[in-house]
Amino acid sequence: MSATPKSERTRAHLRDVAVRMLRDVGYERTTMRAVAAAAGVSTGNAYYHFPSKDALVQELYLEVQREHAERAAPVLAAGGSLAERLRGVWGASVDAFAPFHAFGGEFVSVAIRPGSDASPFSAASAASRDLSRDLFERVVAGASTRVPERLRAQLPELLWLAQLGITLFWVHDTSPGFARTRRLVDGGAAFVGSLVRLARLPVARGVVDDVLRLVRAVHPGVPGASAAADAARERADGPEAGA
C-alpha cells in the first residue's frame, strides 16, 4: 500500500527536523525521542518512518551530498583540465560540509564502527555514496585532460576515496576558513593532474598498473576488476595509443 499524503508529509517533517538537529546539536544529542518531540509526533510514529537514528543520519548524508552537487555544478559546467575541475569539486565539499564541522568528529566516530550503517561503505549509504561518486565521474568525463583508458574506469572511484580522506582531514582542521584543508585541496588536485599526465608515459605504465591492481585487490567493488578488462585496457593504451 502506498503512503498517504499525510504520511509523506509527516516523514518529510521528521526528516527536516532530524537534519536540523544533527547539524545544530550533533549525533549524540539527536535521539529518536528528541526528534519526535521537536516534530510534534509520538516516538512510535517517528520509528515507523525511520527505524533507527542511523536512518536519520542517512538523510543527513543525502542532504549534504545534494548541497555538494549544487555547489559543484558551476565547476562541472565550465569545463577545464582535470586538476581545475577536481580542485573546484573538492573545494565545494569544504563549503557544503562547513555547517556540520562542530560535530564532525562525532559523525566520524560513528561511521568508522565496524558494521555501522552510517559507514560511507555500507549498503545503507548507497544512495549518498552514488551521488558523491557521480560527481567524480563527471569530473573525469568532462575534463580536457586525456586520461589513459586503463585508468579512466577507476579514477572516479579513487577520487571519491580521496574525498573521504580530505573530509577526515577537514574534521580536524581548526584553521580560519579551513585554510589548511583548502591548501590540501589545491595541492592534491595539482598532484592528481600531474600523476595522470605521467600515467600516459610508457615508463610509468607498470607503476600505474600495480596501483590499480592493488586497489582492485582490497576494494573489489571498483569497476573493471576482471583480468580480461585489464588486458583490454593495456591493448588500448599501447604505444600507438599514447601518440
Side-chain angles (χ1 to χ4, degrees):
M1 182 181 297
S2 61
T4 65
K6 180 179 179 181
S7 176
E8 291 173 351
R9 288 194 299 270
T10 299
R11 188 184 192 282
H13 180 51
L14 281 164
R15 176 197 173 279
D16 291 345
V17 168
V19 168
R20 184 173 66 249
M21 290 186 69
L22 286 165
R23 180 192 63 213
D24 293 345
V25 303
Y27 180 86
E28 294 299 333
R29 293 176 60 188
T30 302
T31 65
M32 294 296 290
R33 185 179 297 277
V35 170
V41 303
S42 69
T43 303
N45 199 357
Y47 274 109
Y48 172 79
H49 291 283
F50 296 99
S52 68
K53 185 161 69 170
D54 281 352
L56 296 175
V57 171
Q58 295 301 331
E59 297 297 325
L60 173 66
Y61 286 173
L62 286 168
E63 179 86 3
V64 172
Q65 294 304 335
R66 288 170 183 143
E67 175 69 14
H68 184 194
E70 184 176 337
R71 289 177 179 271
V75 174
L76 296 173
S81 70
L82 178 65
E84 290 168 339
R85 291 166 69 80
L86 187 55
R87 182 184 301 113
V89 170
W90 276 344
S93 74
V94 178
D95 297 324
F97 301 168
F100 306 95
H101 187 261
F103 302 103
E106 286 187 20
F107 292 112
V108 168
S109 68
V110 173
I112 64 175
R113 295 173 187 166
S116 171
D117 281 347
S119 165
F121 301 100
S122 72
S125 296
S128 58
R129 182 171 61 246
D130 288 347
L131 281 175
S132 185
R133 282 174 170 164
D134 178 67
L135 286 179
F136 297 106
E137 291 277 359
R138 294 163 63 193
V139 165
V140 174
S144 59
T145 305
R146 179 183 176 274
V147 180
E149 185 64 28
R150 69 190 186 287
L151 179 58
R152 178 177 289 273
Q154 289 179 223
L155 186 57
E157 179 80 8
L158 297 174
L159 298 178
W160 174 74
L161 291 172
Q163 169 75 73
L164 297 182
I166 289 170
T167 303
L168 182 59
F169 185 92
W170 165 83
V171 165
H172 296 280
D173 185 3
T174 58
S175 60
F178 312 117
R180 291 172 58 228
T181 304
R182 296 185 192 279
R183 286 197 296 271
L184 177 63
V185 163
D186 291 347
F191 183 64
V192 169
S194 296
L195 286 179
V196 169
R197 288 194 297 273
L198 286 172
R200 295 166 54 185
L201 302 176
V203 70
R205 182 169 295 134
V207 175
V208 172
D209 289 343
D210 286 346
V211 171
L212 296 181
R213 290 188 191 100
L214 175 60
V215 172
R216 286 194 294 274
V218 301
H219 189 1
V222 173
S226 71
D230 285 344
R233 278 190 294 276
E234 288 172 4
R235 288 194 298 272
D237 283 317
E240 69 283 357

